[in-house]
Amino acid sequence: MASKNPVEFGREVRREVAKVTWPTRKETMITTGMVFVMVILASLFFLVVDQILGFGVRAILGLGA
């Protein structure tokens, strides 16, 4: 790997960052909302699965009766 001048490296970084298509505020808010909804749905799913498995284990082992 060739050694570069730090100033030239900084210029290249700025040129590359300028090429990036950044999301709009609206796109960011929609994506954030979708992430929160999916986290809530996944949490509820695992809560239900955990309760069902816990009930099954208690029924099999006779614990908590």
Side-chain angles (χ1 to χ4, degrees), residues 56-64:
V57 168
R58 282 190 300 276
I60 292 170
L61 298 178
L63 301 174

Side-chain angles (χ1 to χ4, degrees), residues 33-48:
M34 289 171 39
V35 168
F36 281 131
V37 168
M38 291 305 297
V39 166
I40 291 168
L41 289 175
S43 299
L44 292 173
F45 170 76
F46 287 113
L47 173 68
V48 170

Side-chain angles (χ1 to χ4, degrees), residues 13-64:
V13 168
R14 287 180 61 86
R15 280 194 295 262
E16 290 299 319
V17 168
K19 295 178 186 178
V20 174
T21 304
W22 298 101
T24 63
R25 183 175 195 82
K26 182 180 177 183
E27 290 171 334
T28 303
M29 296 303 287
I30 289 172
T31 304
T32 302
M34 289 171 39
V35 168
F36 281 131
V37 168
M38 291 305 297
V39 166
I40 291 168
L41 289 175
S43 299
L44 292 173
F45 170 76
F46 287 113
L47 173 68
V48 170
V49 169
D50 183 54
Q51 293 298 315
I52 291 170
L53 291 175
F55 175 76
V57 168
R58 282 190 300 276
I60 292 170
L61 298 178
L63 301 174

